[in-house]
Amino acid sequence: MSIDANKVLARAYFTAFLARDAAWWQRHIAPDFVRHDPGLTFAVRGPEGVARLGEVLHGGVTGMKLPIEEVIAEGDRVLVRLRFQGRHTGDLMGLPASDRSIDIAVMDLFRIVDGRLVEHWALLDNLGLLKQVGALPA
């Protein structure tokens, strides 16, 4: 795939994630896909892992938005800089609902092979998240 096509695919991932589009995940996420994310307490592998991640995040955050700020690509890698926004209204990986707004920075690096996402490195401002929901002092 071209670099531009890879960028389109990476952007589409976030649209599909917000829509919980399992059919998109089956078409565009490789069965052996893995997300490297030190902030998670569970493994995200394949389309099923992305579905589980969606359940966790959508279950804890309402009005979720993922505005993309920048997309950079080279070879088979695409870096997406975005925001994770919403309201913390449910359990979020052990954090009880605070009804507070969340707005944190995220950097996602994808590796794409043959038009499918095969690997994902995620870095989120988890410290900022904990402060925003009141789990840590601001």
Side-chain angles (χ1 to χ4, degrees):
M1 287 181 60
S2 72
I3 286 176
D4 286 338
N6 285 348
K7 288 167 81 171
V8 167
L9 180 63
R11 283 180 176 275
Y13 169 84
F14 297 100
T15 302
F17 190 83
L18 286 173
R20 302 182 200 184
D21 188 342
W24 190 95
W25 297 334
Q26 289 297 326
R27 283 191 312 274
H28 299 288
I29 296 177
D32 59 347
F33 168 91
V34 62
R35 175 181 168 125
H36 307 281
D37 187 339
L40 292 179
T41 59
F42 58 92
V44 175
R45 299 192 185 284
E48 297 78 17
V50 174
R52 180 172 180 213
L53 177 63
E55 289 171 10
V56 168
L57 295 181
H58 284 283
V61 179
T62 56
M64 187 187 305
K65 295 178 186 171
L66 301 169
I68 293 173
E69 296 181 336
E70 188 172 19
V71 179
I72 300 168
E74 184 174 332
D76 65 352
R77 311 286 167 124
V78 179
L79 177 69
V80 181
R81 187 171 60 84
L82 66 145
R83 309 293 304 175
F84 175 79
Q85 301 170 332
R87 182 161 296 280
H88 179 217
T89 56
D91 180 82
L92 184 60
M93 296 187 303
L95 296 172
S98 66
D99 201 38
R100 293 183 180 192
S101 292
I102 298 170
D103 184 357
I104 61 168
V106 178
M107 296 274 260
D108 284 318
L109 177 64
F110 295 96
R111 186 167 67 90
I112 299 168
V113 175
D114 296 329
R116 296 182 99 182
L117 302 172
V118 297
E119 207 162 6
H120 178 186
W121 293 265
L123 292 175
L124 293 80
D125 178 9
N126 290 322
L127 181 58
L129 174 74
L130 292 171
K131 289 178 178 180
Q132 289 176 24
V133 301
L136 291 176

